[in-house]
Amino acid sequence: MTAEDPASSSSLPEGVAGAPNEAALVSLMERTGYGMVQENGQRKYGPPPGWDSASPPRGCEIFVGKIPRDVYEDELVPVFESVGRIYEMRLMMDFDGKNRGYAFVMYTQKHEAKRAVRELNNYEVRPGRLLGVCCSVDNCRLFIGGIPKTKKREEILEEVSKVTEGVLDVIVYASAADKMKNRGFAFVEYESHRAAAMARRKLMPGRIQLWGHQIAVDWAEPEIDVDEDVMETVKILYVRNLMMETSEETLRQVFGQWNPGCVERVKKIRDYAFVHFSSRDDAVVAMDHLNGTEVEGSCIEVTLAKPVDKEQYTRYQKASKGGATATVAAPEPAQPNYVYQCDPYTLTYYGYPYNTLIGPNRDYFVKDLV
């Protein structure tokens, strides 16, 4: 089949027939066996021929920016298939037939997407033209501020479910000073990004009140993704929702009860702490026994601490603007290339400069620090 053959050209999918590089696109499809179709302002390449499984899970997609407007799939696919098997490429298209400067590439495996970010960011696709490649976050979580502090999780879940659709879960943090109250905000998890986007539009300030209160709504900052291989080496526990008066020595005794001497050190900051173990096995045993249990009257949450790449962590810090002057010292890294984080919401609540995506809602985290 050739682009010059009128019969062949008429049978080509929309978005390919008549394209400036029609022959090159046809050649690409013949080589790979992938299909291609344009709809809703984007040209989709994929999925792989014979693919009959479900779509790849979250974490398999990357965002590609700074694409020259006359660069298309025939040039992009060879670059991105060099690091993994492409499930789908979505190139955003304009009415004039040129691309809009960005695309999304979904791989079949998470490790392929991570390799693409690692190896193809700043790839020189044309002389002097570097691509920008980063992880694509399919965010399904909203931040809602302005919630009465006396409301419980079940009440918030019921109220939000009345006015928005697709609610899966509500995450509420107890006040550091009074465990019977929340901190005035919650995070709402939706079944899909689309459901979250529709809810955000509906809940925008001025449209809907909850319990008669004006609310603030924004996208929640997604947690930084950590490589599974790295997580398997972690031997530090992050403990949340502690009583303010609980001491580091108490935590050392509680977490070391299954193997005396296994806790190397404890760093407690207000109502959360990091517990360092001499071995991962001891950390996992303590986590399995203590998560969801009470320590001095407060039900605690225990998870493995997430090590974050220092370079990525520094970028988040530099992106921060404003906020309170109080800071929280991050625990010393267990490895030279990593620092350990608490969840971003706790860090921001205590004035730690995290990033600007919290936006105007930052006041809900730091207003009590004065």
Side-chain angles (χ1 to χ4, degrees):
M1 180 171 65
T2 63
E4 290 76 15
D5 183 352
S8 300
S9 183
S10 64
S11 64
L12 292 176
E14 183 178 351
V16 176
N21 61 335
E22 178 183 310
L25 296 179
V26 170
S27 177
L28 172 65
M29 290 190 293
E30 289 179 341
R31 175 178 70 82
T32 63
Y34 283 60
M36 193 179 300
V37 64
Q38 184 167 326
E39 57 184 15
N40 299 324
Q42 56 186 349
R43 193 157 62 199
K44 296 181 180 180
Y45 167 83
W51 185 277
D52 56 3
S53 304
S55 300
R58 291 173 67 178
C60 292
E61 189 174 70
I62 61 171
F63 171 83
V64 185
K66 299 190 290 186
I67 303 173
R69 295 196 65 203
D70 60 346
V71 169
Y72 303 100
E73 293 88 347
D74 56 296
E75 292 183 66
L76 295 172
V77 168
V79 172
F80 288 94
E81 69 181 2
S82 68
V83 298
R85 188 185 186 196
I86 295 175
Y87 171 76
E88 181 182 75
M89 175 182 288
R90 296 183 290 123
L91 182 63
M92 303 301 119
M93 301 297 294
D94 233 331
F95 291 110
D96 61 3
K98 293 184 177 180
N99 77 65
R100 295 170 60 189
Y102 66 98
F104 295 89
V105 180
M106 181 177 290
Y107 288 93
T108 59
Q109 303 287 335
K110 288 183 180 181
H111 69 85
E112 296 169 330
K114 291 179 179 179
R115 183 184 174 192
V117 173
R118 189 170 59 248
E119 297 184 14
L120 298 180
N121 186 35
N122 291 324
Y123 178 89
E124 191 171 19
V125 68
R126 292 273 180 86
R129 302 298 297 274
L130 307 181
L131 297 177
V133 181
C134 63
C135 292
S136 172
V137 180
D138 187 17
N139 201 349
C140 300
R141 183 177 293 184
L142 294 183
F143 163 92
I144 300 181
I147 293 175
K149 294 186 177 182
T150 56
K151 298 299 180 182
K152 306 297 183 186
R153 175 189 172 279
E154 293 73 19
E155 295 176 278
I156 299 172
L157 177 61
E158 180 182 0
E159 190 73 8
V160 174
S161 297
K162 288 179 182 178
V163 294
T164 62
E165 298 179 357
V167 178
L168 290 182
D169 192 18
V170 170
I171 302 166
V172 182
Y173 291 165
S175 168
D178 184 351
K179 297 301 180 184
M180 298 303 293
K181 295 182 179 180
N182 69 63
R183 293 181 180 173
F185 62 87
F187 296 93
V188 184
E189 188 82 18
Y190 288 86
E191 63 186 12
S192 66
H193 176 75
R194 176 178 173 78
M198 295 295 288
R200 178 176 177 269
R201 186 179 306 172
K202 190 173 183 180
L203 294 171
M204 289 303 286
R207 296 187 177 182
I208 290 180
Q209 292 187 340
L210 299 181
W211 301 285
H213 288 247
Q214 184 69 50
I215 58 173
V217 181
D218 205 345
W219 289 107
E221 167 59 21
E223 292 186 53
I224 299 174
D225 190 28
V226 181
D227 190 87
E228 292 178 3
D229 292 337
V230 173
M231 284 303 297
E232 289 178 357
T233 68
V234 174
K235 52 183 181 178
I236 302 174
L237 296 182
Y238 168 51
V239 188
R240 193 164 66 81
N241 205 38
L242 293 163
M243 298 297 288
M244 295 285 284
E245 58 268 22
T246 298
S247 67
E248 292 181 353
E249 183 56 34
T250 295
L251 293 176
R252 180 184 294 274
Q253 295 175 7
V254 170
F255 281 81
Q257 60 185 294
W258 291 276
N259 183 10
C262 67
V263 175
E264 293 183 337
R265 66 187 181 94
V266 177
K267 177 63 176 179
K268 182 173 182 286
I269 308 163
R270 290 177 67 95
D271 67 339
Y272 67 95
F274 290 90
V275 183
H276 297 242
F277 289 81
S278 56
S279 77
R280 177 181 172 82
D281 289 343
D282 288 328
V284 171
V285 168
M287 177 179 66
D288 291 342
H289 279 88
L290 292 171
N291 184 38
T293 63
E294 284 196 7
V295 172
E296 296 190 336
S298 180
C299 183
I300 63 172
E301 295 180 25
V302 185
T303 60
L304 289 167
K306 290 186 176 182
V308 180
D309 182 84
K310 277 186 176 180
E311 182 178 343
Q312 185 180 15
Y313 196 77
T314 301
R315 286 200 300 270
Y316 272 72
Q317 287 180 294
K318 289 181 178 179
S320 304
K321 294 180 181 178
T325 56
T327 60
V328 173
E332 296 175 9
Q335 307 176 45
N337 294 326
Y338 293 96
V339 293
Y340 283 85
Q341 66 160 15
C342 352
D343 62 273
Y345 317 120
T346 299
L347 282 174
T348 311
Y349 177 74
Y350 291 123
Y352 194 92
Y354 199 69
N355 69 33
T356 58
L357 294 185
I358 298 299
N361 299 330
R362 186 176 181 83
D363 289 344
Y364 284 94
F365 295 92
V366 300
K367 63 184 179 182
D368 293 330
L369 288 174
V370 180

